[in-house]
Amino acid sequence: GENVEQHPSTLSVQEGDSAVIKCTYSDSASNYFPWYKQELGKRPQLIIDIRSNVGEKKDQRIAVTLNKTAKHFSLHITETQPEDSAVYFCAASNEAGTALIFGKGTTLSVSS
Amino acid sequence: GAGVSQSPSNKVTEKGKDVELRCDPISGHTALYWYRQSLGQGLEFLIYFQGNSAPDKSGLPSDRFSAERTGGSVSTLTIQRTQQEDSAVYLCASSSGAGGPRPQHFGDGTRLSIL
């Protein structure tokens, strides 16, 4: 079945710097890759997603890139702000497309 | 309501008891998912419902876990004879449509603590 690895587990940056989180997946049949932001004690919130027919997608300060050949995808946050501090999860759809397989999360801390 | 609603928000019970967790998806969403999130971990898929189709139960960790979805809307996750390792946050999500993965929207979860 699908397996998703996420790195780093923790990331500390200064306000205004960029942050990059990387994920790899194992199942070449996966075709949907969302990213979720989860603040402490709150629900995961979808922040951006990408499908396998697209190489890059951008939404304001957030961008996601996908390399299908290498089976990895990355989240890029530019001009980080303290409110970006949270746990970020990447995910990939399973082969059947019936579920998401999540990485273990990256705790991002943005200090001002 | 506007979002996915889960109840109760917190549940504390003794080992060996049965528990029922409820999820009310976004109106009109045909797909419903249950996940489990243990402390400091990612989300673990449990079960998926799509319309009237047979559910995908491949993520259920043991036969103590079951779920149903009545009328294509509200879902109940039942854990029988609870164990301490069942302590976790149980998250429900819903999405619209069929025919491939769609954005999933999560509820606030039920924090389950087994004493």
Side-chain angles (χ1 to χ4, degrees):
Chain A
E2 175 68 281
N3 182 52
V4 177
E5 299 285 340
Q6 182 172 348
H7 299 280
S9 57
T10 60
L11 180 58
S12 296
V13 299
Q14 291 285 324
E15 182 177 3
D17 288 350
S18 295
V20 180
I21 303 170
K22 299 181 178 181
C23 290
T24 60
Y25 61 99
S26 60
D27 188 350
S28 57
S30 291
N31 59 7
Y32 175 66
F33 307 91
W35 287 87
Y36 285 83
K37 175 183 180 182
Q38 187 175 33
E39 296 177 12
L40 190 62
K42 296 193 174 181
R43 68 179 71 183
Q45 295 270 14
L46 178 68
I47 56 171
I48 196 167
D49 58 8
I50 191 167
R51 296 188 184 273
S52 58
N53 57 348
V54 176
E56 183 174 0
K57 184 176 178 181
K58 189 174 182 180
D59 182 3
Q60 299 182 353
R61 296 186 296 109
I62 295 172
V64 57
T65 59
L66 171 65
N67 183 326
K68 282 187 63 180
T69 303
K71 291 190 281 189
H72 66 71
F73 56 113
S74 300
L75 178 71
H76 304 253
I77 306 173
T78 58
E79 301 172 25
T80 54
Q81 302 167 2
E83 52 264 39
D84 294 329
S85 297
V87 180
Y88 291 80
F89 292 98
C90 65
S93 58
N94 66 350
E95 182 177 357
T98 58
L100 294 175
I101 308 303
F102 284 81
K104 292 192 181 300
T106 296
T107 300
L108 175 63
S109 300
V110 181
S111 53
S112 55
Chain B
V4 177
S5 178
Q6 291 188 245
S7 62
S9 55
N10 285 282
K11 177 72 176 179
V12 181
T13 193
E14 294 180 345
K15 176 182 172 181
K17 300 287 188 182
D18 297 352
V19 295
E20 284 190 355
L21 313 179
R22 176 188 168 104
C23 173
D24 199 343
I26 293 171
S27 178
H29 279 191
T30 58
L32 186 148
Y33 315 77
W34 284 98
Y35 293 87
R36 177 170 70 175
Q37 186 174 28
S38 300
L39 188 63
Q41 297 295 310
L43 285 71
E44 174 191 6
F45 166 71
L46 298 177
I47 189 168
Y48 160 80
F49 295 92
Q50 172 58 264
N52 295 320
S53 301
D56 177 352
K57 304 179 181 181
S58 60
L60 295 179
S62 78
D63 59 8
R64 297 186 295 106
F65 288 71
S66 63
E68 62 178 21
R69 189 180 184 193
T70 53
S73 181
V74 171
S75 176
T76 302
L77 176 69
T78 301
I79 309 173
Q80 296 178 309
R81 305 181 301 281
T82 52
Q83 303 294 313
Q84 288 187 331
E85 60 263 29
D86 299 334
S87 296
V89 176
Y90 289 81
L91 289 158
C92 176
S94 70
S95 66
S96 62
R102 303 290 178 103
Q104 295 183 23
H105 302 274
F106 284 85
D108 287 330
T110 293
R111 184 174 298 278
L112 177 64
S113 300
I114 310 299
L115 302 178

